Amino acid sequence: MADFGRRQRRSREALERLLRRPAFWRKDPPLPVVVVTGPDGSGTEAARWLTEPFEDHLPFARVPATGDRTLRQLIELLADEGGRLGEPVSGSFLPAPRFPLVQFALWALTQRDRPPSTWDDTHGEPWPPDPRSGAGRKMFKERLKQWRWDQAQGTGKAVLRSADFFARAAPTWVPAGIVIALGAGWITDVVGVVQWIAGAAVAIVGTVGQTWLSIRGSIFNRWFKRQPYITRRPFEKLWAYGLRVAQAPEEDAERLLVHAMFEDLRQAYRKWPIPWPSWGRGLYCLLVLEAGGPRSANARFLNVMRDVIDETGRFVPLVVIVSASQADSLERRPVAQGSMESFEDVASEWRRRRDLRVPPLGMVLRVTDDLPTAPYGPRLIPVRARAWIYWAAVFSLMAAPLAYARAATLGCGGGLMEEFGQCVGLSDDLGRLRPDPLVRPALERIQEENARIPADHGRIVTVFFMGPLTRDPLLKSGDQFNGVLGELAGLHARQRQYNRQSGDWQVRVEFANVGQDFRSASYAAEVVEERAERDRGAAAVIGLAWSRKETQEAIRILGRAQLPMLSTTNSADGTPRVNGDRSSPYFFRMAAPNSAQAKAMRWWLSRGLPGGTGPVPVAKVATLEQRSPDGKDIYSADLTRELHTQLPDLPAALPFSTRTELSSQVDAACRNGARILVYTGRTTFLDTLLDDGEKVCDPSTQILAGDEVTVTVAEMRRWSGPRMNFVSLTDISTRIVPGNAAIDEAVGELPKAAASVTSRVHARLAYDALLAVTYALDDLLRQQSGQPGDALDIAAGVHYNLRGLRAGSPVSGASGAFSFEPGATDHTATPRSLWLFSVSQTEGIRPHGSCTVISARVECRSGP
């Protein structure tokens, strides 16, 4: 007796193995129709006993045989709105299967029995109407619209349906939107708030759009074009197709209904490439039928099921248990047979036949003994674990990008965003900003000066330093930090000087980190813009030292905020041109532009450079133009363009982006007889230029470089390369009063390692930039004397007074005397000076002349 119970238990275990899905990575197999036969209703009792333990754990339906039910009514019972296979499964943690395809087909067929009350009298044609009938097409169009509206109304089931489809769409589109937002900063010029708006738009539009299309059925209804029964024609409207379905012969309609229900079940178990509940379903659907007579709906369903699977070659994720008094022919091919006790062996035999690629649809089990009463519990832990794994994957897809986005926007703190592994944006909290150790001491000095200002001091102007304060951990060290150190030292020198001289108003400096190579300048500018909107004490932005497209975008944003910007060493003429050919009226340049450098180079070339006896033939001059791989660095192209403007007959520039390309261009230029190599690139490749120039070029060949190399040359204690000539924005060999003393004091307070690489070129220009701001501020305060501090629009007042600042009596600054011309559209400090230097192993740094730049006029002279 115990052995009999074990054999009967194994029959339920065999059914459980049929119902359980294979692992995620395995393909879903065909599933059988299991016919349970026995005399005097024992087959029905055995089918109930066999399936009872699984009823509450998977999509399940039990349908007794009745003589008056049609196949359409059977499908309605199973898959229509509220159908048994579409009921939620308690404890599965997954939504029930949806049946949008079969429900549309049912709706179309239901229209057969619902003619309008006045149809015959009004139109004089039978119902359902001919598919070419204009009145019929209009009627179906209106009815389809009403049906969709009824489905979308705020009933409980409609709300659940909407929430279900929303939950299916969100795990795809929310991560996609976040990935797009994060990726925009890497592959486009769009960064900061704009990229997150774009990402949010993708997430919202994608999620809402897919949800709406799912509710309407538009995503699924394309299937009607791919199936063989009453095929939807290309470009055929859905309501027109529904009219043809209503007109179709009953046999075709039945095949369409069964095939549509099967397709809905396949979609419920399909392993979509996007997150979908089908991945988490651990058990297949189970349908228990009483066979009934040969004319019953259940028998008709089985026959149509067999025909549809044979004709389409597609199986359905549905195990069908049929109880019958005898094993009628359900399959044209022989089927596996045995007793209930040998279910496991019969199932193994069926699988063997299934593996022959032409599997029989069913197997037959005969009831030969009484059924045991011992309870049986399915092993649901693996099934529920599969659902939990699915939800864990979904929550990871949702939470991981959201967490990354939160870390990117909030992880560094308010006003900062993590981008390229750096905290970029606006902050005066060095703990959250996490600056590079090299620049941190200079930032701390400024912080100490900020801290000396009483917290309740009502008259504070804020100046924002905009420059790179961090390094990208994935890139090699940048070459801008010696310049940044100089700018910070110059700002600190003038900030301390002004705050101690002025007892009424105080200057506070905050840090807008643009990240290495200014790649996050746009985001930093957006944060500064937001700050300026609510802070009437915001006065100006100082820095913007590099000529890049990101800097241009930052200038456009800050101009929109009407904040004056004073750049230090940004010399590209095209940098402030964010309004077509016109420069931003809020951009003030402290250094001479590239156009002036090009004129100075032309003058120097006409003198033959140091040691020359006459003009250098233009044909003997080769220009090496650096082009950044991302196309965002504009310095070299700008200087090259200005040089060709001054020397129209100059041969075409030789472009390079890598060290290998530079070596190749140097070799080609020297082989073609070039006597002068004009280098317009960054210092990144300077060592390659010097090495190759010394190895492959004639010893008499000279190098002429732009201002970009000045800092590197000036900070080197010993020059080891060949002789090089360059143009400098400031005099690096002498001291200029009064700024130098304050600058030297500020630099001297830095640790030795930082002070040794601090660029005094940048320090002087940054000092003068803040000097200009404080002069303009003092002019504003004199003009508005008597007004309370909070009534002043500091930025507007500083901008107004910078235009024409000391035009009649230039400011004596650390980089020389300067002023700004009134009414000029291109605000460049004037007069400016350019110095002509050379550097060699034997002579070190040696001056050879200088040029005075007054507006567009450049006057040069020789001599130290």
Side-chain angles (χ1 to χ4, degrees), residues 716-797:
M716 292 185 68
R717 296 181 179 179
R718 181 180 178 83
W719 183 255
S720 59
R723 182 189 184 95
M724 184 178 69
N725 311 291
F726 62 94
V727 179
S728 175
L729 300 176
T730 64
D731 187 350
I732 59 175
S733 61
T734 60
R735 294 189 174 188
I736 305 175
V737 295
N740 275 3
I743 290 171
D744 289 341
E745 182 181 352
V747 171
E749 292 177 352
L750 295 174
K752 184 177 180 179
S756 65
V757 297
T758 300
S759 167
R760 283 167 171 77
V761 174
H762 289 76
R764 292 169 182 172
L765 292 171
Y767 177 94
D768 285 354
L770 186 51
L771 182 67
V773 171
T774 55
Y775 266 73
L777 174 64
D778 289 341
D779 288 345
L780 169 65
L781 298 178
R782 282 193 296 270
Q783 295 159 5
Q784 306 293 333
S785 60
Q787 288 196 21
D790 56 4
L792 295 177
D793 188 339
I794 300 297

Side-chain angles (χ1 to χ4, degrees), residues 593-650:
N594 282 349
S595 56
Q597 284 193 58
K599 293 176 182 178
M601 287 181 173
R602 182 191 64 183
W603 180 87
W604 208 3
L605 288 170
S606 72
R607 299 299 189 272
L609 297 180
T613 58
V616 178
V618 174
K620 297 295 184 179
V621 178
T623 308
L624 301 169
E625 177 189 345
Q626 180 179 341
R627 296 180 180 176
S628 60
D630 59 7
K632 295 182 179 180
D633 197 333
I634 63 177
Y635 169 79
S636 185
D638 187 272
L639 181 54
T640 302
R641 182 173 53 253
E642 295 296 338
L643 191 60
H644 277 74
T645 300
Q646 298 302 317
L647 297 170
D649 297 328
L650 197 65

Side-chain angles (χ1 to χ4, degrees), residues 59 80 142 170 300 459 678 736 768 789 799 858:
D80 201 6
E142 293 175 351
R300 177 62 180 159
R459 301 191 172 191
V678 179
I736 305 175
D768 285 354
H799 177 245
V858 178

Side-chain angles (χ1 to χ4, degrees), residues 663-676:
S663 297
S664 177
Q665 297 290 32
V666 170
D667 182 67
C670 290
R671 289 181 185 277
N672 290 332
R675 287 174 47 193
I676 305 295

Side-chain angles (χ1 to χ4, degrees), residues 520-541:
S520 300
S522 298
Y523 175 74
E526 288 174 347
V527 180
V528 171
E529 178 189 26
E530 294 174 2
R531 169 67 177 278
E533 289 178 353
R534 62 179 187 273
D535 184 359
R536 295 181 64 84
V541 175

Side-chain angles (χ1 to χ4, degrees), residues 361-539:
L361 188 60
M363 64 178 75
V364 176
L365 301 177
R366 294 182 299 275
V367 180
T368 58
D369 293 301
D370 294 334
L371 300 173
T373 58
Y376 177 83
R379 289 165 292 179
L380 298 176
I381 292 179
V383 175
R384 289 173 177 167
R386 183 185 183 113
W388 282 114
I389 291 172
Y390 161 74
W391 284 118
V394 168
F395 290 142
S396 296
L397 284 172
M398 294 285 288
L402 286 172
Y404 186 91
R406 179 177 177 83
T409 54
L410 300 176
C412 295
L416 294 173
M417 176 179 71
E418 185 177 350
E419 193 167 54
F420 307 112
Q422 306 161 87
C423 288
V424 297
L426 179 65
S427 178
D428 58 357
D429 187 339
L430 301 185
R432 293 189 290 110
L433 189 62
R434 300 197 294 271
D436 187 270
L438 187 62
V439 301
R440 188 180 185 102
L443 296 172
E444 290 174 345
R445 296 295 180 187
I446 294 177
Q447 283 286 62
E448 291 173 4
E449 189 62 38
N450 289 339
R452 290 192 181 97
I453 304 173
D456 58 349
H457 193 90
R459 301 191 172 191
I460 301 174
V461 294
T462 303
V463 172
F464 306 99
F465 169 71
M466 185 168 286
L469 302 174
T470 53
R471 300 178 193 261
D472 185 339
L474 299 180
L475 297 180
K476 294 181 179 179
S477 297
D479 55 0
Q480 66 262 52
F481 284 100
N482 44 12
V484 172
L485 271 168
E487 290 173 321
L488 294 173
L491 286 176
H492 178 223
R494 179 54 187 166
Q495 178 195 22
R496 180 168 58 181
Q497 187 182 74
Y498 182 80
N499 287 352
R500 294 180 181 180
Q501 291 175 354
S502 172
D504 214 10
W505 286 80
Q506 299 285 287
V507 171
R508 177 182 177 84
V509 178
E510 293 192 21
F511 315 119
N513 181 26
V514 299
Q516 184 167 334
D517 298 339
F518 281 78
R519 287 182 297 171
S520 300
S522 298
Y523 175 74
E526 288 174 347
V527 180
V528 171
E529 178 189 26
E530 294 174 2
R531 169 67 177 278
E533 289 178 353
R534 62 179 187 273
D535 184 359
R536 295 181 64 84

Side-chain angles (χ1 to χ4, degrees), residues 536-615:
R536 295 181 64 84
V541 175
I542 293 176
L544 299 166
W546 271 32
S547 305
R548 289 182 59 89
K549 288 186 177 180
E550 294 95 336
T551 314
Q552 284 184 315
E553 178 63 15
I555 292 169
R556 185 189 64 79
I557 294 169
L558 295 171
R560 184 176 64 198
Q562 299 183 348
L563 267 175
M565 296 158 271
L566 293 92
S567 75
T568 52
T569 59
N570 194 317
S571 59
D573 289 76
T575 302
R577 292 174 185 165
V578 295
N579 302 313
D581 293 332
R582 295 185 299 108
S583 295
S584 169
Y586 295 92
F587 184 83
F588 294 79
R589 192 194 307 271
M590 299 305 301
N594 282 349
S595 56
Q597 284 193 58
K599 293 176 182 178
M601 287 181 173
R602 182 191 64 183
W603 180 87
W604 208 3
L605 288 170
S606 72
R607 299 299 189 272
L609 297 180
T613 58

